Amino acid sequence: DIQMTQSPSTLSASVGDRVSITCRASQSISISLAWYQQKPGKVPKLLIYKASSLKSGVPSRFSGSGSATEFTLTITSLQPDDSATYYCQQFKSYPYAFGQGTTLEIK
Amino acid sequence: EVQLVESGGGLVQPGGSLRLSCTASGYTFSSFSMTWVRQAPGKGLEWVSAISGIGTTTYYADSVKGRFTISRDNSKNILYLQMKSLRAEDTAIYHCARDLDWFDPWGQGTLVTVSP
């Protein structure tokens, strides 16, 4: 089974900052990776699929990159509304798997 | 607008059973795979099970294999998750999601609590 590991687990940054979250796969998954945003008490929302494709309607401040085993979610010009937990998910093979999550706090 | 609405959650004793439903609307249900994802209180997301559009192919996480059964009724636009031999560690909010390999959108979820 493919394991997904995110770092850091928590992140604190200020409005206007640029932050990056890393997701590593235990084996190559090509670009079979998605990123989700979950705010407290809310349903997860898709941000990025196929590693770098931005879902329609998601602000362009969000971007994804990477392939094989290392991936990055980058958020530029942080906004207060970006405070959330972010998860990566591999869909290369079953069982699909999520990373453990990265909680982003806006100072 | 695509909508997914789960139901069927509740309080069940360890060893008990429960069947969750997910009613879909706003798209051609049978054209898409569907998935269940759960989230234990205060924890991360855990993929549980998936089923192909026509229902012939299913997948399960090791943690639920042999205890949970995913199915669908394309005539009614409903996805199901039959859960048996429930354990305390199955306590979670269960979300259904349209499965494009990535999951979008997600339903609001239904809470399953396994407790004496």
Side-chain angles (χ1 to χ4, degrees), chain A residues 1 34 36 38 43-44 46 49-50 55 87 89 91 94-96 98 100, chain B residues 37 39 43-45 47 50 59 62 99 101-104 106-108:
Chain A
D1 297 356
Y36 302 87
Q38 185 180 31
V43 174
L46 176 71
Y49 59 98
K50 290 185 181 178
K55 181 191 169 180
Y87 295 92
Q89 175 238 330
F91 51 87
Y94 288 102
Y96 287 173
F98 291 91
Q100 78 277 19
Chain B
V37 175
Q39 188 168 32
K43 302 297 184 181
L45 303 172
W47 175 81
Y59 304 92
D62 288 345
D99 187 340
D101 286 335
W102 51 92
F103 308 139
D104 185 52
W106 299 51
Q108 289 294 322

PDB file of all heavy atoms in Angstrom, chain A residues 1 34 36 38 43-44 46 49-50 55 87 89 91 94-96 98 100, chain B residues 37 39 43-45 47 50 59 62 99 101-104 106-108:
ATOM      1  N   ASP A   1       0.823  -1.186   0.000  1.00  0.00           N
ATOM      2  CA  ASP A   1       0.000   0.000   0.000  1.00  0.00           C
ATOM      3  C   ASP A   1       0.871   1.256   0.000  1.00  0.00           C
ATOM      4  O   ASP A   1       1.952   1.277   0.563  1.00  0.00           O
ATOM      5  CB  ASP A   1      -0.920   0.023   1.227  1.00  0.00           C
ATOM      6  CG  ASP A   1      -1.907  -1.124   1.252  1.00  0.00           C
ATOM      7  OD1 ASP A   1      -1.928  -1.919   0.268  1.00  0.00           O
ATOM      8  OD2 ASP A   1      -2.640  -1.254   2.249  1.00  0.00           O
ATOM      9  N   ALA A  34      -4.058  14.669  -5.326  1.00  0.00           N
ATOM     10  CA  ALA A  34      -5.011  15.760  -5.140  1.00  0.00           C
ATOM     11  C   ALA A  34      -4.746  16.449  -3.801  1.00  0.00           C
ATOM     12  O   ALA A  34      -4.175  15.848  -2.889  1.00  0.00           O
ATOM     13  CB  ALA A  34      -6.441  15.224  -5.169  1.00  0.00           C
ATOM     14  N   TYR A  36      -6.771  18.917  -0.799  1.00  0.00           N
ATOM     15  CA  TYR A  36      -8.056  19.360  -0.269  1.00  0.00           C
ATOM     16  C   TYR A  36      -7.828  20.362   0.856  1.00  0.00           C
ATOM     17  O   TYR A  36      -6.829  20.301   1.566  1.00  0.00           O
ATOM     18  CB  TYR A  36      -8.859  18.178   0.288  1.00  0.00           C
ATOM     19  CG  TYR A  36      -9.125  17.096  -0.720  1.00  0.00           C
ATOM     20  CD1 TYR A  36      -8.209  16.069  -0.922  1.00  0.00           C
ATOM     21  CD2 TYR A  36     -10.277  17.108  -1.498  1.00  0.00           C
ATOM     22  CE1 TYR A  36      -8.435  15.083  -1.855  1.00  0.00           C
ATOM     23  CE2 TYR A  36     -10.516  16.115  -2.435  1.00  0.00           C
ATOM     24  CZ  TYR A  36      -9.584  15.105  -2.606  1.00  0.00           C
ATOM     25  OH  TYR A  36      -9.818  14.134  -3.544  1.00  0.00           O
ATOM     26  N   GLN A  38      -9.837  21.768   4.316  1.00  0.00           N
ATOM     27  CA  GLN A  38     -10.954  21.547   5.228  1.00  0.00           C
ATOM     28  C   GLN A  38     -10.907  22.571   6.350  1.00  0.00           C
ATOM     29  O   GLN A  38      -9.934  22.626   7.109  1.00  0.00           O
ATOM     30  CB  GLN A  38     -10.939  20.133   5.814  1.00  0.00           C
ATOM     31  CG  GLN A  38     -12.170  19.856   6.676  1.00  0.00           C
ATOM     32  CD  GLN A  38     -12.181  18.465   7.273  1.00  0.00           C
ATOM     33  OE1 GLN A  38     -11.148  17.879   7.566  1.00  0.00           O
ATOM     34  NE2 GLN A  38     -13.384  17.917   7.454  1.00  0.00           N
ATOM     35  N   VAL A  43     -16.943  20.535   5.348  1.00  0.00           N
ATOM     36  CA  VAL A  43     -16.624  19.420   4.472  1.00  0.00           C
ATOM     37  C   VAL A  43     -15.340  19.724   3.699  1.00  0.00           C
ATOM     38  O   VAL A  43     -15.117  20.870   3.301  1.00  0.00           O
ATOM     39  CB  VAL A  43     -17.795  19.204   3.484  1.00  0.00           C
ATOM     40  CG1 VAL A  43     -17.458  18.142   2.458  1.00  0.00           C
ATOM     41  CG2 VAL A  43     -19.064  18.846   4.236  1.00  0.00           C
ATOM     42  N   PRO A  44     -14.498  18.734   3.481  1.00  0.00           N
ATOM     43  CA  PRO A  44     -13.302  18.973   2.655  1.00  0.00           C
ATOM     44  C   PRO A  44     -13.681  19.436   1.256  1.00  0.00           C
ATOM     45  O   PRO A  44     -14.683  18.987   0.685  1.00  0.00           O
ATOM     46  CB  PRO A  44     -12.633  17.599   2.605  1.00  0.00           C
ATOM     47  CG  PRO A  44     -13.105  16.901   3.830  1.00  0.00           C
ATOM     48  CD  PRO A  44     -14.519  17.363   4.025  1.00  0.00           C
ATOM     49  N   LEU A  46     -12.102  20.152  -2.698  1.00  0.00           N
ATOM     50  CA  LEU A  46     -11.015  19.911  -3.646  1.00  0.00           C
ATOM     51  C   LEU A  46     -10.397  21.227  -4.086  1.00  0.00           C
ATOM     52  O   LEU A  46     -11.105  22.167  -4.447  1.00  0.00           O
ATOM     53  CB  LEU A  46     -11.551  19.165  -4.870  1.00  0.00           C
ATOM     54  CG  LEU A  46     -10.559  18.922  -6.003  1.00  0.00           C
ATOM     55  CD1 LEU A  46      -9.524  17.872  -5.592  1.00  0.00           C
ATOM     56  CD2 LEU A  46     -11.296  18.490  -7.270  1.00  0.00           C
ATOM     57  N   TYR A  49      -6.070  18.823  -8.506  1.00  0.00           N
ATOM     58  CA  TYR A  49      -6.052  17.425  -8.897  1.00  0.00           C
ATOM     59  C   TYR A  49      -4.948  17.222  -9.942  1.00  0.00           C
ATOM     60  O   TYR A  49      -4.448  18.176 -10.530  1.00  0.00           O
ATOM     61  CB  TYR A  49      -7.416  16.985  -9.437  1.00  0.00           C
ATOM     62  CG  TYR A  49      -7.887  17.775 -10.637  1.00  0.00           C
ATOM     63  CD1 TYR A  49      -7.711  17.293 -11.924  1.00  0.00           C
ATOM     64  CD2 TYR A  49      -8.509  19.018 -10.476  1.00  0.00           C
ATOM     65  CE1 TYR A  49      -8.125  18.019 -13.025  1.00  0.00           C
ATOM     66  CE2 TYR A  49      -8.921  19.745 -11.571  1.00  0.00           C
ATOM     67  CZ  TYR A  49      -8.733  19.248 -12.844  1.00  0.00           C
ATOM     68  OH  TYR A  49      -9.147  19.967 -13.936  1.00  0.00           O
ATOM     69  N   LYS A  50      -4.573  15.985 -10.118  1.00  0.00           N
ATOM     70  CA  LYS A  50      -3.452  15.648 -11.013  1.00  0.00           C
ATOM     71  C   LYS A  50      -2.234  16.510 -10.710  1.00  0.00           C
ATOM     72  O   LYS A  50      -1.590  17.038 -11.607  1.00  0.00           O
ATOM     73  CB  LYS A  50      -3.864  15.795 -12.474  1.00  0.00           C
ATOM     74  CG  LYS A  50      -4.857  14.736 -12.933  1.00  0.00           C
ATOM     75  CD  LYS A  50      -5.121  14.887 -14.424  1.00  0.00           C
ATOM     76  CE  LYS A  50      -6.126  13.876 -14.907  1.00  0.00           C
ATOM     77  NZ  LYS A  50      -6.433  14.043 -16.353  1.00  0.00           N
ATOM     78  N   LYS A  55      -8.687  23.353  -9.556  1.00  0.00           N
ATOM     79  CA  LYS A  55     -10.124  23.211  -9.778  1.00  0.00           C
ATOM     80  C   LYS A  55     -10.730  24.579 -10.121  1.00  0.00           C
ATOM     81  O   LYS A  55     -10.327  25.605  -9.556  1.00  0.00           O
ATOM     82  CB  LYS A  55     -10.805  22.650  -8.525  1.00  0.00           C
ATOM     83  CG  LYS A  55     -12.312  22.466  -8.728  1.00  0.00           C
ATOM     84  CD  LYS A  55     -13.055  22.164  -7.458  1.00  0.00           C
ATOM     85  CE  LYS A  55     -14.562  22.257  -7.705  1.00  0.00           C
ATOM     86  NZ  LYS A  55     -15.355  21.970  -6.519  1.00  0.00           N
ATOM     87  N   TYR A  87      -5.033  18.550   3.136  1.00  0.00           N
ATOM     88  CA  TYR A  87      -4.717  17.131   2.983  1.00  0.00           C
ATOM     89  C   TYR A  87      -4.316  16.834   1.537  1.00  0.00           C
ATOM     90  O   TYR A  87      -4.942  17.337   0.601  1.00  0.00           O
ATOM     91  CB  TYR A  87      -5.933  16.260   3.301  1.00  0.00           C
ATOM     92  CG  TYR A  87      -6.408  16.319   4.730  1.00  0.00           C
ATOM     93  CD1 TYR A  87      -7.385  17.226   5.118  1.00  0.00           C
ATOM     94  CD2 TYR A  87      -5.902  15.434   5.685  1.00  0.00           C
ATOM     95  CE1 TYR A  87      -7.843  17.264   6.428  1.00  0.00           C
ATOM     96  CE2 TYR A  87      -6.351  15.471   6.999  1.00  0.00           C
ATOM     97  CZ  TYR A  87      -7.321  16.389   7.353  1.00  0.00           C
ATOM     98  OH  TYR A  87      -7.768  16.421   8.643  1.00  0.00           O
ATOM     99  N   GLN A  89      -3.876  13.537  -1.203  1.00  0.00           N
ATOM    100  CA  GLN A  89      -4.487  12.218  -1.419  1.00  0.00           C
ATOM    101  C   GLN A  89      -3.924  11.604  -2.690  1.00  0.00           C
ATOM    102  O   GLN A  89      -3.898  12.251  -3.731  1.00  0.00           O
ATOM    103  CB  GLN A  89      -6.002  12.336  -1.547  1.00  0.00           C
ATOM    104  CG  GLN A  89      -6.733  11.043  -1.895  1.00  0.00           C
ATOM    105  CD  GLN A  89      -7.550  11.139  -3.168  1.00  0.00           C
ATOM    106  OE1 GLN A  89      -8.052  12.206  -3.520  1.00  0.00           O
ATOM    107  NE2 GLN A  89      -7.704  10.022  -3.874  1.00  0.00           N
ATOM    108  N   PHE A  91      -4.157   8.849  -5.732  1.00  0.00           N
ATOM    109  CA  PHE A  91      -5.127   8.004  -6.441  1.00  0.00           C
ATOM    110  C   PHE A  91      -4.440   7.170  -7.518  1.00  0.00           C
ATOM    111  O   PHE A  91      -5.024   6.826  -8.551  1.00  0.00           O
ATOM    112  CB  PHE A  91      -6.289   8.826  -7.019  1.00  0.00           C
ATOM    113  CG  PHE A  91      -5.897  10.023  -7.851  1.00  0.00           C
ATOM    114  CD1 PHE A  91      -5.647   9.897  -9.200  1.00  0.00           C
ATOM    115  CD2 PHE A  91      -5.804  11.282  -7.265  1.00  0.00           C
ATOM    116  CE1 PHE A  91      -5.312  11.005  -9.968  1.00  0.00           C
ATOM    117  CE2 PHE A  91      -5.463  12.390  -8.021  1.00  0.00           C
ATOM    118  CZ  PHE A  91      -5.214  12.249  -9.376  1.00  0.00           C
ATOM    119  N   TYR A  94      -5.373   1.579  -5.454  1.00  0.00           N
ATOM    120  CA  TYR A  94      -6.123   1.290  -4.238  1.00  0.00           C
ATOM    121  C   TYR A  94      -5.245   0.471  -3.282  1.00  0.00           C
ATOM    122  O   TYR A  94      -4.425  -0.340  -3.739  1.00  0.00           O
ATOM    123  CB  TYR A  94      -7.382   0.500  -4.573  1.00  0.00           C
ATOM    124  CG  TYR A  94      -8.427   1.328  -5.265  1.00  0.00           C
ATOM    125  CD1 TYR A  94      -8.618   1.239  -6.644  1.00  0.00           C
ATOM    126  CD2 TYR A  94      -9.238   2.213  -4.546  1.00  0.00           C
ATOM    127  CE1 TYR A  94      -9.573   2.007  -7.277  1.00  0.00           C
ATOM    128  CE2 TYR A  94     -10.194   2.973  -5.182  1.00  0.00           C
ATOM    129  CZ  TYR A  94     -10.364   2.867  -6.549  1.00  0.00           C
ATOM    130  OH  TYR A  94     -11.314   3.626  -7.185  1.00  0.00           O
ATOM    131  N   PRO A  95      -5.400   0.648  -1.979  1.00  0.00           N
ATOM    132  CA  PRO A  95      -6.305   1.577  -1.326  1.00  0.00           C
ATOM    133  C   PRO A  95      -5.821   3.027  -1.423  1.00  0.00           C
ATOM    134  O   PRO A  95      -4.650   3.316  -1.162  1.00  0.00           O
ATOM    135  CB  PRO A  95      -6.307   1.102   0.125  1.00  0.00           C
ATOM    136  CG  PRO A  95      -4.964   0.494   0.306  1.00  0.00           C
ATOM    137  CD  PRO A  95      -4.614  -0.129  -1.002  1.00  0.00           C
ATOM    138  N   TYR A  96      -6.726   3.912  -1.855  1.00  0.00           N
ATOM    139  CA  TYR A  96      -6.382   5.317  -1.874  1.00  0.00           C
ATOM    140  C   TYR A  96      -5.988   5.752  -0.460  1.00  0.00           C
ATOM    141  O   TYR A  96      -6.428   5.145   0.520  1.00  0.00           O
ATOM    142  CB  TYR A  96      -7.573   6.141  -2.350  1.00  0.00           C
ATOM    143  CG  TYR A  96      -7.862   6.014  -3.837  1.00  0.00           C
ATOM    144  CD1 TYR A  96      -8.987   6.579  -4.392  1.00  0.00           C
ATOM    145  CD2 TYR A  96      -6.994   5.323  -4.699  1.00  0.00           C
ATOM    146  CE1 TYR A  96      -9.268   6.490  -5.753  1.00  0.00           C
ATOM    147  CE2 TYR A  96      -7.255   5.221  -6.047  1.00  0.00           C
ATOM    148  CZ  TYR A  96      -8.388   5.808  -6.569  1.00  0.00           C
ATOM    149  OH  TYR A  96      -8.651   5.710  -7.904  1.00  0.00           O
ATOM    150  N   PHE A  98      -4.801   9.247   2.216  1.00  0.00           N
ATOM    151  CA  PHE A  98      -4.597  10.659   2.500  1.00  0.00           C
ATOM    152  C   PHE A  98      -3.329  10.840   3.329  1.00  0.00           C
ATOM    153  O   PHE A  98      -2.935   9.935   4.090  1.00  0.00           O
ATOM    154  CB  PHE A  98      -5.763  11.223   3.313  1.00  0.00           C
ATOM    155  CG  PHE A  98      -7.057  11.311   2.567  1.00  0.00           C
ATOM    156  CD1 PHE A  98      -7.960  10.255   2.591  1.00  0.00           C
ATOM    157  CD2 PHE A  98      -7.387  12.453   1.851  1.00  0.00           C
ATOM    158  CE1 PHE A  98      -9.171  10.334   1.911  1.00  0.00           C
ATOM    159  CE2 PHE A  98      -8.583  12.553   1.168  1.00  0.00           C
ATOM    160  CZ  PHE A  98      -9.477  11.482   1.191  1.00  0.00           C
ATOM    161  N   GLN A 100      -1.631  12.929   6.545  1.00  0.00           N
ATOM    162  CA  GLN A 100      -2.202  13.115   7.884  1.00  0.00           C
ATOM    163  C   GLN A 100      -2.743  14.528   8.103  1.00  0.00           C
ATOM    164  O   GLN A 100      -3.393  14.790   9.113  1.00  0.00           O
ATOM    165  CB  GLN A 100      -1.160  12.786   8.956  1.00  0.00           C
ATOM    166  CG  GLN A 100      -0.125  13.871   9.202  1.00  0.00           C
ATOM    167  CD  GLN A 100       1.035  13.862   8.232  1.00  0.00           C
ATOM    168  OE1 GLN A 100       0.970  13.285   7.146  1.00  0.00           O
ATOM    169  NE2 GLN A 100       2.128  14.502   8.635  1.00  0.00           N
TER     170      GLN A 100
ATOM    171  N   VAL B  37     -15.519   8.171   2.578  1.00  0.00           N
ATOM    172  CA  VAL B  37     -14.369   8.616   3.359  1.00  0.00           C
ATOM    173  C   VAL B  37     -14.878   8.910   4.765  1.00  0.00           C
ATOM    174  O   VAL B  37     -15.960   9.473   4.924  1.00  0.00           O
ATOM    175  CB  VAL B  37     -13.741   9.891   2.754  1.00  0.00           C
ATOM    176  CG1 VAL B  37     -12.609  10.417   3.658  1.00  0.00           C
ATOM    177  CG2 VAL B  37     -13.218   9.628   1.351  1.00  0.00           C
ATOM    178  N   GLN B  39     -14.005  10.320   8.914  1.00  0.00           N
ATOM    179  CA  GLN B  39     -13.144  11.165   9.730  1.00  0.00           C
ATOM    180  C   GLN B  39     -13.538  10.994  11.187  1.00  0.00           C
ATOM    181  O   GLN B  39     -14.621  11.411  11.603  1.00  0.00           O
ATOM    182  CB  GLN B  39     -13.271  12.633   9.313  1.00  0.00           C
ATOM    183  CG  GLN B  39     -12.278  13.559   9.989  1.00  0.00           C
ATOM    184  CD  GLN B  39     -12.224  14.925   9.349  1.00  0.00           C
ATOM    185  OE1 GLN B  39     -13.210  15.439   8.825  1.00  0.00           O
ATOM    186  NE2 GLN B  39     -11.038  15.538   9.362  1.00  0.00           N
ATOM    187  N   LYS B  43      -9.627  13.802  14.108  1.00  0.00           N
ATOM    188  CA  LYS B  43      -8.583  13.110  13.357  1.00  0.00           C
ATOM    189  C   LYS B  43      -8.627  13.486  11.876  1.00  0.00           C
ATOM    190  O   LYS B  43      -9.447  14.293  11.448  1.00  0.00           O
ATOM    191  CB  LYS B  43      -8.751  11.591  13.513  1.00  0.00           C
ATOM    192  CG  LYS B  43      -8.700  11.115  14.952  1.00  0.00           C
ATOM    193  CD  LYS B  43      -7.365  11.384  15.603  1.00  0.00           C
ATOM    194  CE  LYS B  43      -7.311  10.799  17.014  1.00  0.00           C
ATOM    195  NZ  LYS B  43      -5.998  11.093  17.679  1.00  0.00           N
ATOM    196  N   GLY B  44      -7.745  12.862  11.109  1.00  0.00           N
ATOM    197  CA  GLY B  44      -7.657  13.131   9.692  1.00  0.00           C
ATOM    198  C   GLY B  44      -8.637  12.311   8.865  1.00  0.00           C
ATOM    199  O   GLY B  44      -9.489  11.599   9.396  1.00  0.00           O
ATOM    200  N   LEU B  45      -8.492  12.431   7.557  1.00  0.00           N
ATOM    201  CA  LEU B  45      -9.372  11.741   6.625  1.00  0.00           C
ATOM    202  C   LEU B  45      -8.867  10.335   6.355  1.00  0.00           C
ATOM    203  O   LEU B  45      -7.663  10.117   6.202  1.00  0.00           O
ATOM    204  CB  LEU B  45      -9.437  12.523   5.310  1.00  0.00           C
ATOM    205  CG  LEU B  45      -9.903  13.975   5.422  1.00  0.00           C
ATOM    206  CD1 LEU B  45      -9.726  14.684   4.084  1.00  0.00           C
ATOM    207  CD2 LEU B  45     -11.346  14.027   5.881  1.00  0.00           C
ATOM    208  N   TRP B  47      -9.772   7.125   3.739  1.00  0.00           N
ATOM    209  CA  TRP B  47     -10.551   6.523   2.658  1.00  0.00           C
ATOM    210  C   TRP B  47     -11.054   5.144   3.108  1.00  0.00           C
ATOM    211  O   TRP B  47     -10.301   4.370   3.710  1.00  0.00           O
ATOM    212  CB  TRP B  47      -9.689   6.387   1.406  1.00  0.00           C
ATOM    213  CG  TRP B  47     -10.390   5.679   0.303  1.00  0.00           C
ATOM    214  CD1 TRP B  47     -11.300   6.205  -0.569  1.00  0.00           C
ATOM    215  CD2 TRP B  47     -10.270   4.293  -0.025  1.00  0.00           C
ATOM    216  NE1 TRP B  47     -11.748   5.228  -1.424  1.00  0.00           N
ATOM    217  CE2 TRP B  47     -11.131   4.038  -1.108  1.00  0.00           C
ATOM    218  CE3 TRP B  47      -9.529   3.239   0.493  1.00  0.00           C
ATOM    219  CZ2 TRP B  47     -11.269   2.792  -1.688  1.00  0.00           C
ATOM    220  CZ3 TRP B  47      -9.656   1.986  -0.073  1.00  0.00           C
ATOM    221  CH2 TRP B  47     -10.517   1.767  -1.146  1.00  0.00           C
ATOM    222  N   ALA B  50     -14.733   2.229  -2.278  1.00  0.00           N
ATOM    223  CA  ALA B  50     -15.136   2.823  -3.548  1.00  0.00           C
ATOM    224  C   ALA B  50     -15.870   1.791  -4.390  1.00  0.00           C
ATOM    225  O   ALA B  50     -15.684   0.577  -4.209  1.00  0.00           O
ATOM    226  CB  ALA B  50     -13.925   3.361  -4.303  1.00  0.00           C
ATOM    227  N   TYR B  59     -13.790  -1.669  -3.926  1.00  0.00           N
ATOM    228  CA  TYR B  59     -12.504  -1.607  -3.247  1.00  0.00           C
ATOM    229  C   TYR B  59     -12.746  -1.243  -1.783  1.00  0.00           C
ATOM    230  O   TYR B  59     -13.677  -0.492  -1.471  1.00  0.00           O
ATOM    231  CB  TYR B  59     -11.595  -0.558  -3.877  1.00  0.00           C
ATOM    232  CG  TYR B  59     -11.354  -0.737  -5.360  1.00  0.00           C
ATOM    233  CD1 TYR B  59     -12.174  -0.110  -6.290  1.00  0.00           C
ATOM    234  CD2 TYR B  59     -10.314  -1.541  -5.814  1.00  0.00           C
ATOM    235  CE1 TYR B  59     -11.958  -0.276  -7.648  1.00  0.00           C
ATOM    236  CE2 TYR B  59     -10.095  -1.700  -7.176  1.00  0.00           C
ATOM    237  CZ  TYR B  59     -10.922  -1.067  -8.090  1.00  0.00           C
ATOM    238  OH  TYR B  59     -10.709  -1.238  -9.429  1.00  0.00           O
ATOM    239  N   ASP B  62      -8.148  -1.868   4.224  1.00  0.00           N
ATOM    240  CA  ASP B  62      -7.910  -3.070   5.019  1.00  0.00           C
ATOM    241  C   ASP B  62      -8.667  -3.022   6.344  1.00  0.00           C
ATOM    242  O   ASP B  62      -9.096  -4.050   6.853  1.00  0.00           O
ATOM    243  CB  ASP B  62      -6.413  -3.229   5.286  1.00  0.00           C
ATOM    244  CG  ASP B  62      -5.651  -3.648   4.049  1.00  0.00           C
ATOM    245  OD1 ASP B  62      -6.282  -4.090   3.054  1.00  0.00           O
ATOM    246  OD2 ASP B  62      -4.410  -3.518   4.051  1.00  0.00           O
ATOM    247  N   ASP B  99     -16.440  10.149  -7.126  1.00  0.00           N
ATOM    248  CA  ASP B  99     -15.064   9.669  -7.264  1.00  0.00           C
ATOM    249  C   ASP B  99     -14.604   9.813  -8.706  1.00  0.00           C
ATOM    250  O   ASP B  99     -14.996   9.046  -9.581  1.00  0.00           O
ATOM    251  CB  ASP B  99     -15.005   8.202  -6.826  1.00  0.00           C
ATOM    252  CG  ASP B  99     -13.598   7.647  -6.774  1.00  0.00           C
ATOM    253  OD1 ASP B  99     -12.695   8.229  -7.420  1.00  0.00           O
ATOM    254  OD2 ASP B  99     -13.396   6.616  -6.116  1.00  0.00           O
ATOM    255  N   ASP B 101     -11.374   9.782  -9.257  1.00  0.00           N
ATOM    256  CA  ASP B 101     -10.054   9.460  -8.692  1.00  0.00           C
ATOM    257  C   ASP B 101      -9.786  10.466  -7.585  1.00  0.00           C
ATOM    258  O   ASP B 101      -9.397  10.092  -6.486  1.00  0.00           O
ATOM    259  CB  ASP B 101      -8.941   9.485  -9.736  1.00  0.00           C
ATOM    260  CG  ASP B 101      -9.001   8.266 -10.649  1.00  0.00           C
ATOM    261  OD1 ASP B 101      -9.538   7.232 -10.222  1.00  0.00           O
ATOM    262  OD2 ASP B 101      -8.501   8.349 -11.789  1.00  0.00           O
ATOM    263  N   TRP B 102      -9.944  11.698  -7.832  1.00  0.00           N
ATOM    264  CA  TRP B 102     -10.040  12.695  -6.762  1.00  0.00           C
ATOM    265  C   TRP B 102     -11.510  12.829  -6.413  1.00  0.00           C
ATOM    266  O   TRP B 102     -12.383  12.379  -7.167  1.00  0.00           O
ATOM    267  CB  TRP B 102      -9.442  14.028  -7.227  1.00  0.00           C
ATOM    268  CG  TRP B 102      -9.971  14.511  -8.531  1.00  0.00           C
ATOM    269  CD1 TRP B 102     -11.031  15.346  -8.742  1.00  0.00           C
ATOM    270  CD2 TRP B 102      -9.472  14.164  -9.836  1.00  0.00           C
ATOM    271  NE1 TRP B 102     -11.222  15.546 -10.075  1.00  0.00           N
ATOM    272  CE2 TRP B 102     -10.278  14.859 -10.778  1.00  0.00           C
ATOM    273  CE3 TRP B 102      -8.425  13.371 -10.300  1.00  0.00           C
ATOM    274  CZ2 TRP B 102     -10.064  14.747 -12.149  1.00  0.00           C
ATOM    275  CZ3 TRP B 102      -8.218  13.260 -11.661  1.00  0.00           C
ATOM    276  CH2 TRP B 102      -9.032  13.943 -12.567  1.00  0.00           C
ATOM    277  N   PHE B 103     -11.790  13.418  -5.249  1.00  0.00           N
ATOM    278  CA  PHE B 103     -13.156  13.385  -4.731  1.00  0.00           C
ATOM    279  C   PHE B 103     -13.781  14.777  -4.781  1.00  0.00           C
ATOM    280  O   PHE B 103     -13.311  15.706  -4.135  1.00  0.00           O
ATOM    281  CB  PHE B 103     -13.145  12.870  -3.293  1.00  0.00           C
ATOM    282  CG  PHE B 103     -12.400  11.565  -3.127  1.00  0.00           C
ATOM    283  CD1 PHE B 103     -11.582  11.361  -2.045  1.00  0.00           C
ATOM    284  CD2 PHE B 103     -12.514  10.547  -4.072  1.00  0.00           C
ATOM    285  CE1 PHE B 103     -10.883  10.174  -1.882  1.00  0.00           C
ATOM    286  CE2 PHE B 103     -11.812   9.355  -3.928  1.00  0.00           C
ATOM    287  CZ  PHE B 103     -10.996   9.175  -2.824  1.00  0.00           C
ATOM    288  N   ASP B 104     -14.874  14.852  -5.534  1.00  0.00           N
ATOM    289  CA  ASP B 104     -15.521  16.151  -5.698  1.00  0.00           C
ATOM    290  C   ASP B 104     -16.882  15.997  -6.325  1.00  0.00           C
ATOM    291  O   ASP B 104     -16.998  15.431  -7.420  1.00  0.00           O
ATOM    292  CB  ASP B 104     -14.644  17.050  -6.605  1.00  0.00           C
ATOM    293  CG  ASP B 104     -15.193  18.452  -6.732  1.00  0.00           C
ATOM    294  OD1 ASP B 104     -15.463  19.090  -5.687  1.00  0.00           O
ATOM    295  OD2 ASP B 104     -15.367  18.917  -7.869  1.00  0.00           O
ATOM    296  N   TRP B 106     -18.151  16.495  -1.995  1.00  0.00           N
ATOM    297  CA  TRP B 106     -18.381  15.651  -0.828  1.00  0.00           C
ATOM    298  C   TRP B 106     -19.749  15.974  -0.239  1.00  0.00           C
ATOM    299  O   TRP B 106     -20.200  17.115  -0.295  1.00  0.00           O
ATOM    300  CB  TRP B 106     -17.328  15.928   0.251  1.00  0.00           C
ATOM    301  CG  TRP B 106     -15.910  15.680  -0.123  1.00  0.00           C
ATOM    302  CD1 TRP B 106     -15.239  16.141  -1.230  1.00  0.00           C
ATOM    303  CD2 TRP B 106     -14.957  14.945   0.637  1.00  0.00           C
ATOM    304  NE1 TRP B 106     -13.927  15.730  -1.200  1.00  0.00           N
ATOM    305  CE2 TRP B 106     -13.723  14.995  -0.066  1.00  0.00           C
ATOM    306  CE3 TRP B 106     -14.992  14.245   1.851  1.00  0.00           C
ATOM    307  CZ2 TRP B 106     -12.563  14.366   0.392  1.00  0.00           C
ATOM    308  CZ3 TRP B 106     -13.845  13.626   2.304  1.00  0.00           C
ATOM    309  CH2 TRP B 106     -12.641  13.690   1.587  1.00  0.00           C
ATOM    310  N   GLY B 107     -20.359  14.967   0.369  1.00  0.00           N
ATOM    311  CA  GLY B 107     -21.565  15.230   1.132  1.00  0.00           C
ATOM    312  C   GLY B 107     -21.200  15.767   2.511  1.00  0.00           C
ATOM    313  O   GLY B 107     -20.035  15.749   2.911  1.00  0.00           O
ATOM    314  N   GLN B 108     -22.215  16.234   3.224  1.00  0.00           N
ATOM    315  CA  GLN B 108     -21.999  16.813   4.554  1.00  0.00           C
ATOM    316  C   GLN B 108     -21.596  15.771   5.586  1.00  0.00           C
ATOM    317  O   GLN B 108     -20.986  16.103   6.615  1.00  0.00           O
ATOM    318  CB  GLN B 108     -23.267  17.524   5.030  1.00  0.00           C
ATOM    319  CG  GLN B 108     -23.560  18.809   4.288  1.00  0.00           C
ATOM    320  CD  GLN B 108     -22.511  19.871   4.541  1.00  0.00           C
ATOM    321  OE1 GLN B 108     -22.003  20.012   5.646  1.00  0.00           O
ATOM    322  NE2 GLN B 108     -22.174  20.627   3.504  1.00  0.00           N
TER     323      GLN B 108
END
